[in-house]
PDB file of all heavy atoms in Angstrom:
ATOM      1  N   LEU B 888      -8.073   6.421  -0.296  1.00 94.00           N
ATOM      2  CA  LEU B 888      -9.236   7.187   0.161  1.00 94.00           C
ATOM      3  C   LEU B 888      -9.025   8.684  -0.051  1.00 94.00           C
ATOM      4  O   LEU B 888      -9.881   9.375  -0.574  1.00 94.00           O
ATOM      5  CB  LEU B 888      -9.458   6.963   1.666  1.00 94.00           C
ATOM      6  CG  LEU B 888     -10.128   5.682   2.102  1.00 94.00           C
ATOM      7  CD1 LEU B 888     -10.222   5.654   3.617  1.00 94.00           C
ATOM      8  CD2 LEU B 888     -11.508   5.548   1.470  1.00 94.00           C
ATOM      9  N   THR B 889      -7.872   9.157   0.411  1.00 93.00           N
ATOM     10  CA  THR B 889      -7.583  10.574   0.329  1.00 93.00           C
ATOM     11  C   THR B 889      -6.111  10.792   0.613  1.00 93.00           C
ATOM     12  O   THR B 889      -5.432   9.894   1.109  1.00 93.00           O
ATOM     13  CB  THR B 889      -8.467  11.373   1.322  1.00 93.00           C
ATOM     14  OG1 THR B 889      -8.279  12.772   1.110  1.00 93.00           O
ATOM     15  CG2 THR B 889      -8.146  11.032   2.767  1.00 93.00           C
ATOM     16  N   TYR B 890      -5.625  11.974   0.284  1.00 91.00           N
ATOM     17  CA  TYR B 890      -4.249  12.308   0.615  1.00 91.00           C
ATOM     18  C   TYR B 890      -4.175  13.791   0.943  1.00 91.00           C
ATOM     19  O   TYR B 890      -5.070  14.572   0.613  1.00 91.00           O
ATOM     20  CB  TYR B 890      -3.291  11.945  -0.527  1.00 91.00           C
ATOM     21  CG  TYR B 890      -3.488  12.738  -1.791  1.00 91.00           C
ATOM     22  CD1 TYR B 890      -2.834  13.955  -1.996  1.00 91.00           C
ATOM     23  CD2 TYR B 890      -4.327  12.277  -2.800  1.00 91.00           C
ATOM     24  CE1 TYR B 890      -3.012  14.681  -3.164  1.00 91.00           C
ATOM     25  CE2 TYR B 890      -4.513  13.002  -3.963  1.00 91.00           C
ATOM     26  CZ  TYR B 890      -3.853  14.197  -4.147  1.00 91.00           C
ATOM     27  OH  TYR B 890      -4.031  14.906  -5.309  1.00 91.00           O
ATOM     28  N   ILE B 891      -3.084  14.177   1.597  1.00 92.00           N
ATOM     29  CA  ILE B 891      -2.899  15.571   1.975  1.00 92.00           C
ATOM     30  C   ILE B 891      -1.456  15.948   1.701  1.00 92.00           C
ATOM     31  O   ILE B 891      -0.539  15.143   1.948  1.00 92.00           O
ATOM     32  CB  ILE B 891      -3.303  15.797   3.453  1.00 92.00           C
ATOM     33  CG1 ILE B 891      -3.317  17.276   3.812  1.00 92.00           C
ATOM     34  CG2 ILE B 891      -2.417  15.002   4.404  1.00 92.00           C
ATOM     35  CD1 ILE B 891      -4.009  17.559   5.150  1.00 92.00           C
ATOM     36  N   PHE B 892      -1.243  17.105   1.165  1.00 87.00           N
ATOM     37  CA  PHE B 892       0.101  17.590   0.943  1.00 87.00           C
ATOM     38  C   PHE B 892       0.640  18.136   2.262  1.00 87.00           C
ATOM     39  O   PHE B 892      -0.119  18.665   3.080  1.00 87.00           O
ATOM     40  CB  PHE B 892       0.090  18.663  -0.147  1.00 87.00           C
ATOM     41  CG  PHE B 892       1.447  19.086  -0.618  1.00 87.00           C
ATOM     42  CD1 PHE B 892       2.396  18.147  -0.977  1.00 87.00           C
ATOM     43  CD2 PHE B 892       1.786  20.424  -0.694  1.00 87.00           C
ATOM     44  CE1 PHE B 892       3.650  18.515  -1.412  1.00 87.00           C
ATOM     45  CE2 PHE B 892       3.042  20.814  -1.135  1.00 87.00           C
ATOM     46  CZ  PHE B 892       3.979  19.871  -1.484  1.00 87.00           C
ATOM     47  N   SER B 893       1.927  18.049   2.449  1.00 83.00           N
ATOM     48  CA  SER B 893       2.499  18.333   3.766  1.00 83.00           C
ATOM     49  C   SER B 893       2.412  19.806   4.169  1.00 83.00           C
ATOM     50  O   SER B 893       2.631  20.142   5.329  1.00 83.00           O
ATOM     51  CB  SER B 893       3.951  17.867   3.823  1.00 83.00           C
ATOM     52  OG  SER B 893       4.689  18.489   2.804  1.00 83.00           O
ATOM     53  N   ASN B 894       2.078  20.696   3.230  1.00 84.00           N
ATOM     54  CA  ASN B 894       1.948  22.097   3.626  1.00 84.00           C
ATOM     55  C   ASN B 894       0.498  22.473   3.982  1.00 84.00           C
ATOM     56  O   ASN B 894       0.187  23.633   4.210  1.00 84.00           O
ATOM     57  CB  ASN B 894       2.481  23.034   2.538  1.00 84.00           C
ATOM     58  CG  ASN B 894       1.627  23.025   1.294  1.00 84.00           C
ATOM     59  OD1 ASN B 894       0.682  22.254   1.191  1.00 84.00           O
ATOM     60  ND2 ASN B 894       1.951  23.873   0.343  1.00 84.00           N
ATOM     61  N   MET B 895      -0.372  21.456   4.018  1.00 86.00           N
ATOM     62  CA  MET B 895      -1.758  21.676   4.422  1.00 86.00           C
ATOM     63  C   MET B 895      -1.937  21.164   5.840  1.00 86.00           C
ATOM     64  O   MET B 895      -1.164  20.317   6.307  1.00 86.00           O
ATOM     65  CB  MET B 895      -2.708  20.901   3.499  1.00 86.00           C
ATOM     66  CG  MET B 895      -2.635  21.347   2.056  1.00 86.00           C
ATOM     67  SD  MET B 895      -3.483  20.198   0.950  1.00 86.00           S
ATOM     68  CE  MET B 895      -5.172  20.343   1.495  1.00 86.00           C
ATOM     69  N   ASP B 896      -2.965  21.641   6.546  1.00 90.00           N
ATOM     70  CA  ASP B 896      -3.236  21.069   7.859  1.00 90.00           C
ATOM     71  C   ASP B 896      -4.590  20.381   7.953  1.00 90.00           C
ATOM     72  O   ASP B 896      -4.871  19.688   8.932  1.00 90.00           O
ATOM     73  CB  ASP B 896      -3.086  22.115   8.974  1.00 90.00           C
ATOM     74  CG  ASP B 896      -3.872  23.366   8.692  1.00 90.00           C
ATOM     75  OD1 ASP B 896      -4.827  23.321   7.885  1.00 90.00           O
ATOM     76  OD2 ASP B 896      -3.538  24.411   9.286  1.00 90.00           O
ATOM     77  N   MET B 897      -5.439  20.549   6.930  1.00 94.00           N
ATOM     78  CA  MET B 897      -6.727  19.891   6.960  1.00 94.00           C
ATOM     79  C   MET B 897      -7.226  19.692   5.521  1.00 94.00           C
ATOM     80  O   MET B 897      -6.987  20.510   4.639  1.00 94.00           O
ATOM     81  CB  MET B 897      -7.757  20.723   7.727  1.00 94.00           C
ATOM     82  CG  MET B 897      -9.074  19.999   7.927  1.00 94.00           C
ATOM     83  SD  MET B 897     -10.287  20.982   8.803  1.00 94.00           S
ATOM     84  CE  MET B 897     -11.261  21.576   7.461  1.00 94.00           C
ATOM     85  N   LYS B 898      -7.933  18.572   5.363  1.00 93.00           N
ATOM     86  CA  LYS B 898      -8.596  18.342   4.075  1.00 93.00           C
ATOM     87  C   LYS B 898      -9.898  17.616   4.366  1.00 93.00           C
ATOM     88  O   LYS B 898      -9.927  16.661   5.148  1.00 93.00           O
ATOM     89  CB  LYS B 898      -7.707  17.491   3.161  1.00 93.00           C
ATOM     90  CG  LYS B 898      -8.308  17.238   1.786  1.00 93.00           C
ATOM     91  CD  LYS B 898      -7.347  16.452   0.918  1.00 93.00           C
ATOM     92  CE  LYS B 898      -7.935  16.221  -0.453  1.00 93.00           C
ATOM     93  NZ  LYS B 898      -7.031  15.420  -1.317  1.00 93.00           N
ATOM     94  N   GLN B 899     -10.979  18.081   3.737  1.00 95.00           N
ATOM     95  CA  GLN B 899     -12.285  17.447   3.947  1.00 95.00           C
ATOM     96  C   GLN B 899     -12.802  16.920   2.620  1.00 95.00           C
ATOM     97  O   GLN B 899     -12.702  17.574   1.585  1.00 95.00           O
ATOM     98  CB  GLN B 899     -13.265  18.454   4.531  1.00 95.00           C
ATOM     99  CG  GLN B 899     -14.583  17.853   4.926  1.00 95.00           C
ATOM    100  CD  GLN B 899     -15.190  18.512   6.154  1.00 95.00           C
ATOM    101  OE1 GLN B 899     -14.686  19.515   6.637  1.00 95.00           O
ATOM    102  NE2 GLN B 899     -16.252  17.942   6.653  1.00 95.00           N
ATOM    103  N   ASP B 900     -13.375  15.709   2.679  1.00 91.00           N
ATOM    104  CA  ASP B 900     -13.915  15.096   1.474  1.00 91.00           C
ATOM    105  C   ASP B 900     -15.121  14.286   1.897  1.00 91.00           C
ATOM    106  O   ASP B 900     -15.009  13.165   2.370  1.00 91.00           O
ATOM    107  CB  ASP B 900     -12.847  14.206   0.823  1.00 91.00           C
ATOM    108  CG  ASP B 900     -13.307  13.617  -0.495  1.00 91.00           C
ATOM    109  OD1 ASP B 900     -14.450  13.885  -0.918  1.00 91.00           O
ATOM    110  OD2 ASP B 900     -12.511  12.875  -1.110  1.00 91.00           O
TER     111      ASP B 900
END
Side-chain angles (χ1 to χ4, degrees):
Chain B
L888 281 179
T889 187
Y890 66 88
I891 189 167
F892 189 49
S893 57
N894 68 355
M895 298 168 64
D896 51 21
M897 187 181 99
K898 182 177 181 182
Q899 187 146 7
D900 184 0

